Amino acid sequence: MTLNRALRVFLPFAFGFYLSYLYRSVNAIIAPDLIGEIGLDAASLGLLSSAYFISFAAFQIPLGIILDRVGPRKVEAALLIIAALGAGIFASSDTLANLIIGRSFIGLGVSACLMASFKSFVDWFPKEHLPLSNGAIMMAGGLGALTATAPIELVLEFTDWRGIFWILAALTLISSIMIYSIV
């Protein structure tokens, strides 16, 4: 396996999975802002957070079939556009219902980040490199979860939760473009 192939295949998918985990965890940091601005209570926050996981999980069965038929590059790039749309909806929402819609789009949009990575690695890398590449992709997700803590709090000093989600929407579109054009 050449370094060029590793970078062209691994890095774009790793960035997508990084964002997936950041989206998964960011609500914990912005919860006080959502409580203050939108007036959410604990039950509403729980429902809002679960919207991501419900849409994510609901798409797993058809996702496997679609990945096999269409391929990880096209599927992941298209789904990340849906996640970016969801982040935009979330950022511009003033009601719990619209926040749930945005969060559901995000969950659906990032639902392929791990499986598309694994499928791409199987297609592009020799089998003896799969444990390393799979472990490294999991590390990228862990970095996303870490970024959703103190770094997000730092960014909140310069913008609000809406700004965070507009930034995430832009980064998600960049990730989609990277996957589609580089892989």
Side-chain angles (χ1 to χ4, degrees):
M1 176 173 60
T2 67
L3 179 60
N4 182 39
R5 179 181 290 177
L7 295 176
R8 289 184 56 132
V9 176
F10 177 78
L11 287 180
F13 282 108
F15 185 45
F17 192 54
Y18 165 86
L19 289 171
S20 171
Y21 254 82
L22 200 157
Y23 277 122
R24 180 181 295 205
S25 306
V26 72
N27 272 16
I29 301 302
I30 65 166
D33 299 319
L34 295 174
I35 290 168
E37 187 175 329
I38 310 292
L40 301 182
D41 58 12
S44 298
L45 282 170
L47 177 63
L48 177 60
S49 293
S50 71
Y52 170 99
F53 294 106
I54 291 168
S55 62
F56 185 103
F59 197 61
Q60 292 306 299
I61 299 287
L63 174 63
I65 297 166
I66 295 167
L67 281 171
D68 285 340
R69 291 193 180 160
V70 180
R73 180 180 68 95
K74 290 178 182 176
V75 171
E76 180 66 6
L79 285 173
L80 284 172
I81 292 170
I82 294 170
L85 175 64
I89 291 169
F90 194 92
S92 59
S93 294
D94 289 323
T95 65
L96 175 61
N98 287 340
L99 288 169
I100 289 171
I101 291 168
R103 194 85 171 132
S104 296
F105 274 49
I106 293 168
L108 172 66
V110 300
S111 65
C113 288
L114 181 60
M115 291 301 112
S117 299
F118 286 169
K119 172 74 169 124
S120 185
F121 299 162
V122 166
D123 291 345
W124 284 94
F125 298 157
K127 66 181 178 181
E128 58 272 4
H129 291 235
L130 294 179
L132 176 61
S133 59
N134 291 348
I137 200 77
M138 298 304 291
M139 181 191 68
L143 290 174
L146 285 173
T147 303
T149 59
I152 290 293
E153 287 180 339
L154 179 66
V155 175
L156 282 171
E157 293 180 17
F158 302 98
T159 187
D160 61 358
W161 65 272
R162 294 177 190 278
I164 296 285
F165 272 82
W166 284 119
I167 292 167
L168 287 173
L171 291 173
T172 306
L173 281 176
I174 291 168
S175 179
S176 173
I177 292 166
M178 285 174 55
I179 289 170
Y180 190 78
S181 62
I182 296 174
V183 176

PDB file of all heavy atoms in Angstrom, residues 113-141:
ATOM      1  N   CYS A 113     -20.772   6.910   8.011  1.00  0.00           N
ATOM      2  CA  CYS A 113     -19.366   7.304   8.184  1.00  0.00           C
ATOM      3  C   CYS A 113     -18.450   6.141   8.554  1.00  0.00           C
ATOM      4  O   CYS A 113     -17.370   6.009   7.980  1.00  0.00           O
ATOM      5  CB  CYS A 113     -19.253   8.422   9.205  1.00  0.00           C
ATOM      6  SG  CYS A 113     -19.860   9.999   8.587  1.00  0.00           S
ATOM      7  N   LEU A 114     -18.865   5.295   9.460  1.00  0.00           N
ATOM      8  CA  LEU A 114     -18.002   4.177   9.851  1.00  0.00           C
ATOM      9  C   LEU A 114     -18.050   3.051   8.820  1.00  0.00           C
ATOM     10  O   LEU A 114     -17.009   2.572   8.376  1.00  0.00           O
ATOM     11  CB  LEU A 114     -18.393   3.653  11.234  1.00  0.00           C
ATOM     12  CG  LEU A 114     -17.535   2.502  11.754  1.00  0.00           C
ATOM     13  CD1 LEU A 114     -16.076   2.921  11.863  1.00  0.00           C
ATOM     14  CD2 LEU A 114     -18.056   2.026  13.099  1.00  0.00           C
ATOM     15  N   MET A 115     -19.240   2.654   8.430  1.00  0.00           N
ATOM     16  CA  MET A 115     -19.357   1.519   7.510  1.00  0.00           C
ATOM     17  C   MET A 115     -18.793   1.832   6.125  1.00  0.00           C
ATOM     18  O   MET A 115     -18.184   0.971   5.491  1.00  0.00           O
ATOM     19  CB  MET A 115     -20.813   1.061   7.387  1.00  0.00           C
ATOM     20  CG  MET A 115     -21.357   0.404   8.643  1.00  0.00           C
ATOM     21  SD  MET A 115     -20.396  -1.037   9.122  1.00  0.00           S
ATOM     22  CE  MET A 115     -19.655  -0.478  10.622  1.00  0.00           C
ATOM     23  N   ALA A 116     -18.982   3.064   5.656  1.00  0.00           N
ATOM     24  CA  ALA A 116     -18.399   3.444   4.364  1.00  0.00           C
ATOM     25  C   ALA A 116     -16.874   3.412   4.445  1.00  0.00           C
ATOM     26  O   ALA A 116     -16.209   3.010   3.481  1.00  0.00           O
ATOM     27  CB  ALA A 116     -18.888   4.833   3.949  1.00  0.00           C
ATOM     28  N   SER A 117     -16.343   3.812   5.587  1.00  0.00           N
ATOM     29  CA  SER A 117     -14.890   3.733   5.776  1.00  0.00           C
ATOM     30  C   SER A 117     -14.417   2.287   5.703  1.00  0.00           C
ATOM     31  O   SER A 117     -13.482   1.966   4.966  1.00  0.00           O
ATOM     32  CB  SER A 117     -14.504   4.319   7.139  1.00  0.00           C
ATOM     33  OG  SER A 117     -14.865   5.655   7.236  1.00  0.00           O
ATOM     34  N   PHE A 118     -15.068   1.416   6.479  1.00  0.00           N
ATOM     35  CA  PHE A 118     -14.680   0.004   6.479  1.00  0.00           C
ATOM     36  C   PHE A 118     -14.781  -0.597   5.089  1.00  0.00           C
ATOM     37  O   PHE A 118     -13.893  -1.316   4.642  1.00  0.00           O
ATOM     38  CB  PHE A 118     -15.556  -0.792   7.445  1.00  0.00           C
ATOM     39  CG  PHE A 118     -15.250  -0.584   8.902  1.00  0.00           C
ATOM     40  CD1 PHE A 118     -16.118  -1.072   9.858  1.00  0.00           C
ATOM     41  CD2 PHE A 118     -14.115   0.077   9.335  1.00  0.00           C
ATOM     42  CE1 PHE A 118     -15.860  -0.908  11.213  1.00  0.00           C
ATOM     43  CE2 PHE A 118     -13.841   0.259  10.685  1.00  0.00           C
ATOM     44  CZ  PHE A 118     -14.718  -0.243  11.624  1.00  0.00           C
ATOM     45  N   LYS A 119     -15.866  -0.299   4.392  1.00  0.00           N
ATOM     46  CA  LYS A 119     -16.069  -0.841   3.034  1.00  0.00           C
ATOM     47  C   LYS A 119     -14.980  -0.320   2.091  1.00  0.00           C
ATOM     48  O   LYS A 119     -14.422  -1.073   1.284  1.00  0.00           O
ATOM     49  CB  LYS A 119     -17.459  -0.461   2.530  1.00  0.00           C
ATOM     50  CG  LYS A 119     -17.733  -0.788   1.078  1.00  0.00           C
ATOM     51  CD  LYS A 119     -17.951  -2.255   0.857  1.00  0.00           C
ATOM     52  CE  LYS A 119     -18.485  -2.497  -0.548  1.00  0.00           C
ATOM     53  NZ  LYS A 119     -17.663  -3.405  -1.302  1.00  0.00           N
ATOM     54  N   SER A 120     -14.664   0.948   2.203  1.00  0.00           N
ATOM     55  CA  SER A 120     -13.634   1.529   1.355  1.00  0.00           C
ATOM     56  C   SER A 120     -12.269   0.904   1.636  1.00  0.00           C
ATOM     57  O   SER A 120     -11.501   0.622   0.718  1.00  0.00           O
ATOM     58  CB  SER A 120     -13.578   3.041   1.578  1.00  0.00           C
ATOM     59  OG  SER A 120     -12.669   3.633   0.698  1.00  0.00           O
ATOM     60  N   PHE A 121     -11.974   0.661   2.922  1.00  0.00           N
ATOM     61  CA  PHE A 121     -10.697   0.052   3.267  1.00  0.00           C
ATOM     62  C   PHE A 121     -10.589  -1.358   2.705  1.00  0.00           C
ATOM     63  O   PHE A 121      -9.537  -1.757   2.206  1.00  0.00           O
ATOM     64  CB  PHE A 121     -10.503   0.013   4.783  1.00  0.00           C
ATOM     65  CG  PHE A 121     -10.485   1.364   5.444  1.00  0.00           C
ATOM     66  CD1 PHE A 121     -10.691   1.474   6.814  1.00  0.00           C
ATOM     67  CD2 PHE A 121     -10.277   2.539   4.720  1.00  0.00           C
ATOM     68  CE1 PHE A 121     -10.679   2.706   7.433  1.00  0.00           C
ATOM     69  CE2 PHE A 121     -10.270   3.784   5.329  1.00  0.00           C
ATOM     70  CZ  PHE A 121     -10.467   3.861   6.692  1.00  0.00           C
ATOM     71  N   VAL A 122     -11.676  -2.106   2.758  1.00  0.00           N
ATOM     72  CA  VAL A 122     -11.679  -3.460   2.189  1.00  0.00           C
ATOM     73  C   VAL A 122     -11.434  -3.398   0.687  1.00  0.00           C
ATOM     74  O   VAL A 122     -10.730  -4.232   0.129  1.00  0.00           O
ATOM     75  CB  VAL A 122     -13.011  -4.181   2.511  1.00  0.00           C
ATOM     76  CG1 VAL A 122     -13.180  -5.432   1.666  1.00  0.00           C
ATOM     77  CG2 VAL A 122     -13.082  -4.519   3.993  1.00  0.00           C
ATOM     78  N   ASP A 123     -12.009  -2.399   0.031  1.00  0.00           N
ATOM     79  CA  ASP A 123     -11.855  -2.261  -1.416  1.00  0.00           C
ATOM     80  C   ASP A 123     -10.456  -1.798  -1.825  1.00  0.00           C
ATOM     81  O   ASP A 123      -9.981  -2.159  -2.898  1.00  0.00           O
ATOM     82  CB  ASP A 123     -12.882  -1.261  -1.969  1.00  0.00           C
ATOM     83  CG  ASP A 123     -14.301  -1.773  -1.908  1.00  0.00           C
ATOM     84  OD1 ASP A 123     -14.501  -2.992  -1.705  1.00  0.00           O
ATOM     85  OD2 ASP A 123     -15.231  -0.952  -2.055  1.00  0.00           O
ATOM     86  N   TRP A 124      -9.788  -0.987  -0.978  1.00  0.00           N
ATOM     87  CA  TRP A 124      -8.560  -0.337  -1.391  1.00  0.00           C
ATOM     88  C   TRP A 124      -7.294  -0.843  -0.730  1.00  0.00           C
ATOM     89  O   TRP A 124      -6.193  -0.657  -1.265  1.00  0.00           O
ATOM     90  CB  TRP A 124      -8.658   1.171  -1.133  1.00  0.00           C
ATOM     91  CG  TRP A 124      -9.511   1.875  -2.126  1.00  0.00           C
ATOM     92  CD1 TRP A 124     -10.838   2.161  -1.998  1.00  0.00           C
ATOM     93  CD2 TRP A 124      -9.123   2.382  -3.398  1.00  0.00           C
ATOM     94  NE1 TRP A 124     -11.286   2.822  -3.116  1.00  0.00           N
ATOM     95  CE2 TRP A 124     -10.250   2.963  -3.996  1.00  0.00           C
ATOM     96  CE3 TRP A 124      -7.916   2.389  -4.100  1.00  0.00           C
ATOM     97  CZ2 TRP A 124     -10.209   3.563  -5.248  1.00  0.00           C
ATOM     98  CZ3 TRP A 124      -7.880   2.992  -5.349  1.00  0.00           C
ATOM     99  CH2 TRP A 124      -9.027   3.566  -5.909  1.00  0.00           C
ATOM    100  N   PHE A 125      -7.410  -1.448   0.456  1.00  0.00           N
ATOM    101  CA  PHE A 125      -6.219  -1.813   1.209  1.00  0.00           C
ATOM    102  C   PHE A 125      -6.032  -3.324   1.248  1.00  0.00           C
ATOM    103  O   PHE A 125      -7.009  -4.076   1.266  1.00  0.00           O
ATOM    104  CB  PHE A 125      -6.293  -1.298   2.654  1.00  0.00           C
ATOM    105  CG  PHE A 125      -6.368   0.203   2.790  1.00  0.00           C
ATOM    106  CD1 PHE A 125      -6.896   0.762   3.938  1.00  0.00           C
ATOM    107  CD2 PHE A 125      -5.923   1.063   1.798  1.00  0.00           C
ATOM    108  CE1 PHE A 125      -6.969   2.139   4.095  1.00  0.00           C
ATOM    109  CE2 PHE A 125      -5.996   2.431   1.936  1.00  0.00           C
ATOM    110  CZ  PHE A 125      -6.520   2.967   3.087  1.00  0.00           C
ATOM    111  N   PRO A 126      -4.781  -3.799   1.313  1.00  0.00           N
ATOM    112  CA  PRO A 126      -4.556  -5.237   1.500  1.00  0.00           C
ATOM    113  C   PRO A 126      -5.106  -5.673   2.863  1.00  0.00           C
ATOM    114  O   PRO A 126      -5.129  -4.894   3.816  1.00  0.00           O
ATOM    115  CB  PRO A 126      -3.033  -5.381   1.466  1.00  0.00           C
ATOM    116  CG  PRO A 126      -2.465  -4.058   1.145  1.00  0.00           C
ATOM    117  CD  PRO A 126      -3.541  -3.040   1.223  1.00  0.00           C
ATOM    118  N   LYS A 127      -5.532  -6.912   2.944  1.00  0.00           N
ATOM    119  CA  LYS A 127      -6.195  -7.382   4.169  1.00  0.00           C
ATOM    120  C   LYS A 127      -5.312  -7.276   5.398  1.00  0.00           C
ATOM    121  O   LYS A 127      -5.807  -7.077   6.501  1.00  0.00           O
ATOM    122  CB  LYS A 127      -6.733  -8.798   3.983  1.00  0.00           C
ATOM    123  CG  LYS A 127      -5.692  -9.852   3.798  1.00  0.00           C
ATOM    124  CD  LYS A 127      -6.317 -11.211   3.602  1.00  0.00           C
ATOM    125  CE  LYS A 127      -5.224 -12.242   3.372  1.00  0.00           C
ATOM    126  NZ  LYS A 127      -5.781 -13.558   3.144  1.00  0.00           N
ATOM    127  N   GLU A 128      -4.013  -7.368   5.236  1.00  0.00           N
ATOM    128  CA  GLU A 128      -3.134  -7.267   6.411  1.00  0.00           C
ATOM    129  C   GLU A 128      -3.071  -5.836   6.971  1.00  0.00           C
ATOM    130  O   GLU A 128      -2.597  -5.625   8.088  1.00  0.00           O
ATOM    131  CB  GLU A 128      -1.730  -7.793   6.117  1.00  0.00           C
ATOM    132  CG  GLU A 128      -1.004  -7.124   4.988  1.00  0.00           C
ATOM    133  CD  GLU A 128      -1.285  -7.762   3.619  1.00  0.00           C
ATOM    134  OE1 GLU A 128      -2.105  -8.681   3.505  1.00  0.00           O
ATOM    135  OE2 GLU A 128      -0.658  -7.301   2.652  1.00  0.00           O
ATOM    136  N   HIS A 129      -3.584  -4.850   6.222  1.00  0.00           N
ATOM    137  CA  HIS A 129      -3.591  -3.462   6.691  1.00  0.00           C
ATOM    138  C   HIS A 129      -4.938  -3.075   7.308  1.00  0.00           C
ATOM    139  O   HIS A 129      -5.065  -1.970   7.843  1.00  0.00           O
ATOM    140  CB  HIS A 129      -3.255  -2.510   5.540  1.00  0.00           C
ATOM    141  CG  HIS A 129      -1.847  -2.610   5.092  1.00  0.00           C
ATOM    142  ND1 HIS A 129      -0.997  -1.535   5.031  1.00  0.00           N
ATOM    143  CD2 HIS A 129      -1.112  -3.677   4.699  1.00  0.00           C
ATOM    144  CE1 HIS A 129       0.181  -1.929   4.602  1.00  0.00           C
ATOM    145  NE2 HIS A 129       0.133  -3.218   4.389  1.00  0.00           N
ATOM    146  N   LEU A 130      -5.933  -3.955   7.223  1.00  0.00           N
ATOM    147  CA  LEU A 130      -7.270  -3.619   7.726  1.00  0.00           C
ATOM    148  C   LEU A 130      -7.311  -3.381   9.239  1.00  0.00           C
ATOM    149  O   LEU A 130      -7.966  -2.423   9.675  1.00  0.00           O
ATOM    150  CB  LEU A 130      -8.287  -4.668   7.306  1.00  0.00           C
ATOM    151  CG  LEU A 130      -8.541  -4.743   5.793  1.00  0.00           C
ATOM    152  CD1 LEU A 130      -9.555  -5.826   5.471  1.00  0.00           C
ATOM    153  CD2 LEU A 130      -8.979  -3.402   5.244  1.00  0.00           C
ATOM    154  N   PRO A 131      -6.652  -4.183  10.070  1.00  0.00           N
ATOM    155  CA  PRO A 131      -6.715  -3.883  11.514  1.00  0.00           C
ATOM    156  C   PRO A 131      -6.178  -2.491  11.850  1.00  0.00           C
ATOM    157  O   PRO A 131      -6.776  -1.769  12.644  1.00  0.00           O
ATOM    158  CB  PRO A 131      -5.854  -4.982  12.140  1.00  0.00           C
ATOM    159  CG  PRO A 131      -5.921  -6.114  11.175  1.00  0.00           C
ATOM    160  CD  PRO A 131      -5.967  -5.458   9.820  1.00  0.00           C
ATOM    161  N   LEU A 132      -5.078  -2.099  11.229  1.00  0.00           N
ATOM    162  CA  LEU A 132      -4.520  -0.774  11.480  1.00  0.00           C
ATOM    163  C   LEU A 132      -5.457   0.318  10.981  1.00  0.00           C
ATOM    164  O   LEU A 132      -5.726   1.294  11.702  1.00  0.00           O
ATOM    165  CB  LEU A 132      -3.147  -0.633  10.821  1.00  0.00           C
ATOM    166  CG  LEU A 132      -2.505   0.752  10.930  1.00  0.00           C
ATOM    167  CD1 LEU A 132      -2.281   1.139  12.389  1.00  0.00           C
ATOM    168  CD2 LEU A 132      -1.210   0.801  10.150  1.00  0.00           C
ATOM    169  N   SER A 133      -5.947   0.185   9.760  1.00  0.00           N
ATOM    170  CA  SER A 133      -6.830   1.231   9.215  1.00  0.00           C
ATOM    171  C   SER A 133      -8.135   1.313  10.002  1.00  0.00           C
ATOM    172  O   SER A 133      -8.634   2.411  10.273  1.00  0.00           O
ATOM    173  CB  SER A 133      -7.086   1.011   7.723  1.00  0.00           C
ATOM    174  OG  SER A 133      -7.683  -0.239   7.489  1.00  0.00           O
ATOM    175  N   ASN A 134      -8.689   0.176  10.394  1.00  0.00           N
ATOM    176  CA  ASN A 134      -9.928   0.187  11.182  1.00  0.00           C
ATOM    177  C   ASN A 134      -9.697   0.801  12.560  1.00  0.00           C
ATOM    178  O   ASN A 134     -10.526   1.571  13.047  1.00  0.00           O
ATOM    179  CB  ASN A 134     -10.503  -1.221  11.312  1.00  0.00           C
ATOM    180  CG  ASN A 134     -11.031  -1.756  10.002  1.00  0.00           C
ATOM    181  OD1 ASN A 134     -11.188  -1.023   9.031  1.00  0.00           O
ATOM    182  ND2 ASN A 134     -11.305  -3.044   9.964  1.00  0.00           N
ATOM    183  N   GLY A 135      -8.583   0.480  13.180  1.00  0.00           N
ATOM    184  CA  GLY A 135      -8.257   1.082  14.470  1.00  0.00           C
ATOM    185  C   GLY A 135      -8.028   2.583  14.359  1.00  0.00           C
ATOM    186  O   GLY A 135      -8.458   3.357  15.219  1.00  0.00           O
ATOM    187  N   ALA A 136      -7.380   2.991  13.287  1.00  0.00           N
ATOM    188  CA  ALA A 136      -7.105   4.415  13.088  1.00  0.00           C
ATOM    189  C   ALA A 136      -8.391   5.199  12.843  1.00  0.00           C
ATOM    190  O   ALA A 136      -8.523   6.343  13.298  1.00  0.00           O
ATOM    191  CB  ALA A 136      -6.122   4.602  11.939  1.00  0.00           C
ATOM    192  N   ILE A 137      -9.346   4.591  12.141  1.00  0.00           N
ATOM    193  CA  ILE A 137     -10.610   5.293  11.908  1.00  0.00           C
ATOM    194  C   ILE A 137     -11.365   5.455  13.216  1.00  0.00           C
ATOM    195  O   ILE A 137     -12.012   6.480  13.465  1.00  0.00           O
ATOM    196  CB  ILE A 137     -11.470   4.613  10.809  1.00  0.00           C
ATOM    197  CG1 ILE A 137     -12.501   5.599  10.236  1.00  0.00           C
ATOM    198  CG2 ILE A 137     -12.219   3.410  11.304  1.00  0.00           C
ATOM    199  CD1 ILE A 137     -11.944   6.588   9.295  1.00  0.00           C
ATOM    200  N   MET A 138     -11.275   4.456  14.082  1.00  0.00           N
ATOM    201  CA  MET A 138     -11.916   4.566  15.399  1.00  0.00           C
ATOM    202  C   MET A 138     -11.262   5.690  16.211  1.00  0.00           C
ATOM    203  O   MET A 138     -11.942   6.410  16.948  1.00  0.00           O
ATOM    204  CB  MET A 138     -11.846   3.244  16.150  1.00  0.00           C
ATOM    205  CG  MET A 138     -12.578   2.101  15.465  1.00  0.00           C
ATOM    206  SD  MET A 138     -14.310   2.435  15.115  1.00  0.00           S
ATOM    207  CE  MET A 138     -14.966   2.445  16.769  1.00  0.00           C
ATOM    208  N   MET A 139      -9.957   5.860  16.055  1.00  0.00           N
ATOM    209  CA  MET A 139      -9.263   6.951  16.731  1.00  0.00           C
ATOM    210  C   MET A 139      -9.780   8.305  16.230  1.00  0.00           C
ATOM    211  O   MET A 139      -9.960   9.235  17.020  1.00  0.00           O
ATOM    212  CB  MET A 139      -7.761   6.858  16.496  1.00  0.00           C
ATOM    213  CG  MET A 139      -6.970   7.943  17.199  1.00  0.00           C
ATOM    214  SD  MET A 139      -5.252   8.028  16.678  1.00  0.00           S
ATOM    215  CE  MET A 139      -5.406   8.583  15.009  1.00  0.00           C
ATOM    216  N   ALA A 140     -10.044   8.410  14.935  1.00  0.00           N
ATOM    217  CA  ALA A 140     -10.578   9.659  14.383  1.00  0.00           C
ATOM    218  C   ALA A 140     -11.922  10.001  15.024  1.00  0.00           C
ATOM    219  O   ALA A 140     -12.197  11.164  15.333  1.00  0.00           O
ATOM    220  CB  ALA A 140     -10.718   9.552  12.857  1.00  0.00           C
ATOM    221  N   GLY A 141     -12.759   8.983  15.237  1.00  0.00           N
ATOM    222  CA  GLY A 141     -14.028   9.218  15.919  1.00  0.00           C
ATOM    223  C   GLY A 141     -13.812   9.684  17.349  1.00  0.00           C
ATOM    224  O   GLY A 141     -14.489  10.602  17.824  1.00  0.00           O
TER     225      GLY A 141
END
